Amino acid sequence: MASALARMFRDASAHRHRMTCDIQTGSAAPVAASGTLTLVSVIATDVCVIGPTTLTATSGGAGADEWDIDGGTDTLDADELVTTINGHATISQVVTASNVAGVVTITAKQKGVVGNFINISSVDSTITASAANLASGTGGATEAGTSITLGLT
């Protein structure tokens, strides 16, 4: 990757092609958006939604969009949800999850405001989302920046 990037800059500076580089000049580092799902006595068939994916609690074996709630405590059930999220073919590309005492924290992998658009929810009273979307993602595309054009004019 580094050699490809160096070659691209070398070619542009030699006027072989034109490129525009956007450089973030803001002083604050981007922060990833996050939110929580709090589990309290979840039962089989309860669901939570992360982005476009619905995950369903199940008892006795879980499929791709399911997590097993046979742990006996909210913390153990939340551990299973975290394992499902972090191992999911789609969701794990966008977010990571962690658990403390039955509260699952969902964090966007991409830092900046873009994570604020990832929805989290549940229609069940046993799973409470902190908000409709992940929140508090800052920086990134909204930070001050400078555009530099190199190459052919």
Side-chain angles (χ1 to χ4, degrees):
M1 175 70 175
S3 62
L5 186 60
R7 185 173 45 253
M8 185 173 61
F9 276 102
R10 185 180 60 244
D11 289 349
S13 63
H15 300 286
R16 292 188 187 117
H17 67 269
R18 181 183 172 124
M19 67 177 261
T20 299
C21 223
D22 292 320
I23 302 170
Q24 181 179 337
T25 57
S27 60
V31 175
S34 64
T36 60
L37 295 169
T38 302
L39 281 58
V40 178
S41 302
V42 174
I43 61 170
T45 71
D46 286 351
V47 299
C48 63
V49 177
I50 302 170
T53 304
T54 300
L55 299 174
T56 304
T58 187
S59 180
D65 292 340
E66 299 173 328
W67 86 95
D68 196 355
I69 58 159
D70 292 337
T73 68
D74 296 328
T75 299
L76 292 174
D77 292 343
D79 283 340
E80 290 293 328
L81 178 57
V82 166
T83 299
T84 298
I85 292 167
N86 291 336
H88 194 275
T90 304
I91 301 171
S92 67
Q93 302 301 307
V94 182
V95 301
T96 61
S98 60
N99 169 38
V100 175
V103 178
V104 177
T105 299
I106 312 293
T107 305
K109 283 190 169 183
Q110 176 66 46
K111 293 181 179 181
V113 297
V114 68
N116 296 338
F117 297 99
I118 299 170
N119 66 299
I120 57 172
S121 66
S122 178
V123 296
D124 297 297
S125 61
T126 58
I127 305 171
T128 305
S130 56
N133 295 321
L134 299 185
S136 301
T138 60
T142 62
E143 287 291 309
T146 303
S147 288
I148 300 171
T149 301
L150 302 171
L152 300 171
T153 54

